[in-house]
Amino acid sequence: MPPSWAAPPWANQSSARELEFVLLGFAHVPSLRPMLSVLFLAAFLLTLLGNTLIVLLTSLDPGLRAPMYFFLRHLALVEICFSLDVAPRLLVTLLRPGRGMSPTSCALQLLLVLSCVTSECFLLTVMAWDRFLAICRPLRYGAIMTSRLCHLLATTCWLAGIPVALVFTIWLFNFPFCGPRGIRHFFCDIAPLLSLVCADTRVFEANVFVATVLVIMVPFCLIATSYVMILTAVLRMPSAFGRHKALSTCASHLIVVILFYGTTGVIHLRPKASYSPESKQVVSLSYTMVTPMLNPLIYSLRNKEVKAAFGRVCCQGSRL
């Protein structure tokens, strides 16, 4: 352990609590805990409010029945699940430092985190493919993106993360954990848990790397390929209005992709990298707290149809 960082006294407590983990998120800045608690609580509430609003709008408004909004609704649901898994425990860690966490609770949180990350990767890929079909294959779009296919793709995205998460969670928690049970993170993740393992984890890390490439990098490459083809098709459009409309429907999705993949790749491609635990916490905040909060704003502020649907739903509510 570096000399510049001293473990809080509760990190080494044993006896009745020796089998519990203790999250040490932001333990290096104890004076900032009250302010961070307020900021993260506000971000959590905004995330729930914004994503719930997206779910309601895309469910209630008949103008948002396109496949793009169907997948956007599922993305919002994933973000809600992600936030409910991470944010409450983060707030407890800040407000009641030293509170123990059973191995079962830690494993369940890791399982849900891995599952949500995997589902979001696949959903963002499907959304990029949907935009590719809409812009590059407009005449065949309606025949390809049927309601049945949309439901099949959404179900696959939700279920695909479960086996991946189960395998790595069970495998990791079968390793022996030695020494202090203080996890230098604000949620149970693979990298901080690996630092507590007193066994050879090279095979596990190699498999994590392979899974990360398949789950994060392959979808990212597919998304990048889709957007290269979209850009090529847009540049061939004779109308400036058509080019602007096509690009505007993709801009929001592209921003979300950059935010999400830019941070998850850094963390999960090298789980035992030399980055400090404190820097990993800051990077992890990007895809666990910031991106879920910004997604509704990005999609709604840049989308006239969503804003129009919000106005229609509000008008109907006021008439009732």
Side-chain angles (χ1 to χ4, degrees):
M1 188 175 292
S4 60
W5 187 90
W10 57 78
N12 295 307
Q13 290 177 0
S14 56
S15 65
R17 299 178 58 192
E18 64 183 355
L19 296 180
E20 290 187 334
F21 292 105
V22 179
L23 292 174
L24 305 176
F26 304 101
H28 59 293
V29 284
S31 60
L32 296 180
R33 278 201 201 102
M35 182 186 71
L36 290 175
S37 300
V38 174
L39 289 176
F40 293 150
L41 176 61
F44 177 50
L45 295 177
L46 285 174
T47 298
L48 293 182
L49 177 63
N51 285 287
T52 301
L53 187 61
I54 291 291
V55 172
L56 291 176
L57 286 178
T58 54
S59 300
L60 298 176
D61 190 84
L64 301 181
R65 289 288 186 264
M68 177 175 71
Y69 299 111
F70 173 80
F71 294 122
L72 177 59
R73 176 163 72 247
H74 283 273
L75 180 65
L77 288 171
V78 170
E79 300 290 28
I80 290 172
C81 294
F82 205 175
S83 298
L84 289 172
D85 182 38
V86 174
R89 178 63 64 174
L90 170 58
L91 293 172
V92 169
T93 300
L94 291 171
L95 297 173
R96 298 186 61 184
R99 183 169 180 177
M101 186 180 191
S102 70
T104 302
S105 298
C106 188
L108 181 59
Q109 186 181 50
L110 176 62
L111 176 71
L112 292 174
V113 165
L114 295 178
S115 182
C116 287
V117 168
T118 305
S119 296
E120 185 158 352
C121 286
F122 292 157
L123 265 174
L124 291 173
T125 307
V126 169
M127 292 172 76
W129 183 62
D130 171 73
R131 291 299 83 208
F132 162 76
L133 290 176
I135 294 172
C136 301
R137 304 287 188 272
L139 298 180
R140 298 180 57 195
Y141 179 72
I144 296 174
M145 294 301 291
T146 62
S147 175
R148 181 180 179 182
L149 179 61
C150 289
H151 283 88
L152 179 62
L153 289 171
T155 303
T156 302
C157 291
W158 277 100
L159 296 180
I162 296 176
V164 176
L166 272 175
V167 167
F168 286 106
T169 300
I170 293 173
W171 190 353
L172 179 56
F173 277 83
N174 274 324
F175 283 120
F177 293 95
C178 304
R181 292 298 184 96
I183 300 174
R184 293 173 65 182
H185 211 331
F186 59 86
F187 69 95
C188 290
D189 201 6
I190 289 177
L193 284 168
L194 274 179
S195 65
L196 304 180
V197 173
C198 52
D200 187 354
T201 60
R202 285 177 294 181
V203 175
F204 176 82
E205 290 177 62
N207 280 273
V208 169
F209 179 82
V210 172
T212 302
V213 169
L214 293 175
V215 170
I216 295 181
M217 298 312 298
V218 170
F220 178 77
C221 291
L222 293 175
I223 292 172
T225 303
S226 296
Y227 274 103
V228 169
M229 298 177 73
I230 288 172
L231 183 61
T232 302
V234 168
L235 292 177
R236 292 174 180 169
M237 292 180 178
S239 166
F241 175 76
R243 289 195 297 269
H244 175 74
K245 183 178 180 181
L247 288 175
S248 66
T249 62
C250 300
S252 301
H253 181 254
L254 194 56
I255 293 171
V256 172
V257 167
I258 292 171
L259 285 173
F260 180 75
Y261 280 96
T263 52
T264 52
V266 169
I267 293 295
H268 292 100
L269 277 174
R270 297 178 62 196
K272 266 194 171 179
S274 58
Y275 315 120
S276 70
E278 289 72 32
S279 63
K280 286 183 179 180
Q281 290 180 49
V282 174
V283 175
S284 296
L285 279 174
S286 299
Y287 71 90
T288 57
M289 296 292 291
V290 178
T291 304
M293 178 185 66
L294 292 180
N295 278 359
L297 295 175
I298 293 171
Y299 280 108
S300 60
L301 292 178
R302 297 187 58 86
N303 192 305
K304 294 180 180 179
E305 292 179 349
V306 173
K307 289 188 282 188
F310 180 71
R312 288 193 295 269
V313 171
C314 288
C315 288
Q316 290 175 1
S318 62
R319 289 171 186 169
L320 295 176

